[in-house]
Amino acid sequence: MTPDQNKPVPPGWVGGFAESNPAFAYPDPDLSSLPLLENMANIDLLDRQQAVLWPEFSWETVPGTPDSRAYQMFAPDISRVGYTNAGRVYSVICPQQGACSPSFGTLNIEVSVTGQRGWVDEPSRTVAADLTVEGKIWFSPSAVQSPLVQLLWDLFSTTGRPFPADKKQAIRVPIHRHGEPSEPVLPGRSGQTDWFPVPPFAEHYDTAWAVANLAAEIAPIALTGDELVDDFNELVMSVFNLSSGNLLAPGNLLTWNVWFTEPAIVDRVEWREHAEKWRTSIDACHGPEGSQPRYFDGRPFKPDLAAVAAEQTAITAFIEKHAQTT
């Protein structure tokens, strides 16, 4: 199947960048001759864009067990790829989503793009882009209002430690290429992933203009060197993974198919405003939300009662360990 071929495309396309180096070509594009560029450094060079209206993520809720695979569309219409009339990629805005913990409330997750390079070719509806990314986790406004989170925040504030109540102070999760811990560059390539079957509810051939895919392996969280902060970050990640079905569990493989809308002209002021709007927080309590995670057959993923009990046990152990030391 191919994406819908009847969407209108604005004039102005020139092309040529994808063909400027034979190494860029499919079936195995090599983009290593291009520098990895900071994501917001070249907005004034953007001419065209494709929005990601359907960012479809997938992972095994029990790592190593294929039947446990879940599928979830992250918040729509946040992510997009921006490029020149010639087709050189200069910016990629990243996907976000919220996950609800029975103990903490809503936690926000973002796959932050830290570097990018690549090309888009509109006539063939193809793209090749390398990304470096980082996972970020922080508390939503509703979670911050809960008595439990306030108690934990107080443990931090009494000693001047930063609390992950916004993206600036987010818990950072390194991400690398599958099976290559020392390789941070992830290849984004056209088409859906062929690593596993994709259910019909996660496909958008009838409405999308094009589709591409990426895959990333999750690494342990970045340590700060502060025992309380590192213990707390490990606690939050443990709770998050219990609630989300190991979405960011170390060693798990996170894959996403990004379904694009048709090309559009970039309004550079709007691009900056759009990026800034989502730079600080999705505000999962009130912002756009994607789907709930589901298995291949459509059954919803739900944390079991043991996971909820494990959350409470982990939180209690953390408070008992640190309440007397702050």
Side-chain angles (χ1 to χ4, degrees):
M1 297 179 68
T2 58
D4 178 25
Q5 301 294 310
N6 299 314
K7 297 294 182 71
V9 176
W13 171 256
V14 175
F17 188 73
E19 297 79 29
S20 65
N21 185 332
F24 293 170
Y26 276 94
D28 186 22
D30 180 355
L31 307 178
S32 59
S33 62
L34 298 173
L36 284 163
L37 300 174
E38 195 276 323
N39 215 22
M40 295 298 292
N42 296 287
I43 305 307
D44 288 336
L45 298 178
L46 299 181
D47 299 310
R48 303 171 77 82
Q49 67 179 32
Q50 292 176 41
V52 179
L53 198 56
W54 307 274
E56 296 283 0
F57 281 67
S58 184
W59 68 98
E60 292 176 348
T61 60
V62 181
T65 305
D67 289 347
S68 73
R69 177 168 294 281
Y71 304 81
Q72 180 179 29
M73 186 179 75
F74 275 28
D77 205 19
I78 292 178
S79 187
R80 57 175 70 167
V81 58
Y83 50 97
T84 65
N85 288 328
R88 181 169 182 174
V89 172
Y90 274 114
S91 187
V92 178
I93 297 177
C94 40
Q96 298 185 13
Q97 179 64 0
C100 186
S101 154
S103 303
F104 282 151
T106 302
L107 297 166
N108 293 326
I109 172 177
E110 177 184 277
V111 181
S112 298
V113 178
T114 58
Q116 44 69 34
R117 63 189 178 199
W119 56 260
V120 169
D121 183 63
E122 289 186 2
S124 63
R125 305 196 182 201
T126 53
V127 59
D130 289 346
L131 306 177
T132 53
V133 303
E134 181 180 53
K136 293 183 178 179
I137 299 288
W138 69 97
F139 289 90
S140 77
S142 66
V144 168
Q145 294 168 13
S146 80
L148 173 60
V149 175
Q150 282 291 335
L151 172 63
L152 294 169
W153 196 344
D154 287 344
L155 290 177
F156 277 64
S157 62
T158 54
T159 57
R161 291 178 171 91
F163 187 80
D166 55 40
K167 187 158 68 173
K168 183 179 180 181
Q169 305 294 345
I171 300 166
R172 306 166 79 90
V173 185
I175 294 175
H176 57 80
R177 191 177 298 186
H178 179 46
E180 300 181 52
S182 62
E183 178 53 80
V185 178
L186 311 178
R189 301 295 184 259
S190 286
Q192 284 202 94
T193 180
D194 58 4
W195 288 10
F196 50 82
V198 177
F201 64 75
E203 295 183 322
H204 304 278
Y205 286 109
D206 57 339
T207 49
W209 195 83
V211 61
N213 73 90
L214 300 94
E217 186 170 326
I218 310 302
I221 64 170
L223 298 178
T224 68
D226 183 308
E227 182 182 10
L228 186 146
V229 173
D230 289 340
D231 281 358
F232 180 72
N233 290 349
E234 290 283 3
L235 169 68
V236 173
M237 289 307 302
S238 174
V239 167
F240 174 83
N241 283 317
L242 287 167
S243 302
S244 66
N246 290 307
L247 176 63
L248 292 181
N252 212 357
L253 183 66
L254 182 63
T255 305
W256 56 107
N257 294 318
V258 289
W259 296 82
F260 299 104
T261 59
E262 67 278 5
I265 302 300
V266 167
D267 178 333
R268 294 167 183 169
V269 173
E270 186 278 336
W271 184 285
R272 284 191 174 89
E273 291 175 347
H274 180 88
E276 177 64 21
K277 177 180 180 180
W278 302 114
R279 182 186 66 80
T280 52
S281 174
I282 187 176
D283 187 0
C285 305
H286 303 100
E289 278 291 276
S291 67
Q292 295 301 306
R294 289 181 280 176
Y295 297 110
F296 186 91
D297 61 7
R299 288 178 298 116
F301 165 80
K302 294 181 180 179
D304 59 27
L305 295 177
V308 177
E311 280 192 12
Q312 295 294 332
T313 299
I315 292 168
T316 299
F318 172 85
I319 293 174
E320 289 177 347
K321 177 178 179 181
H322 291 287
Q324 303 302 319
T325 62
T326 57

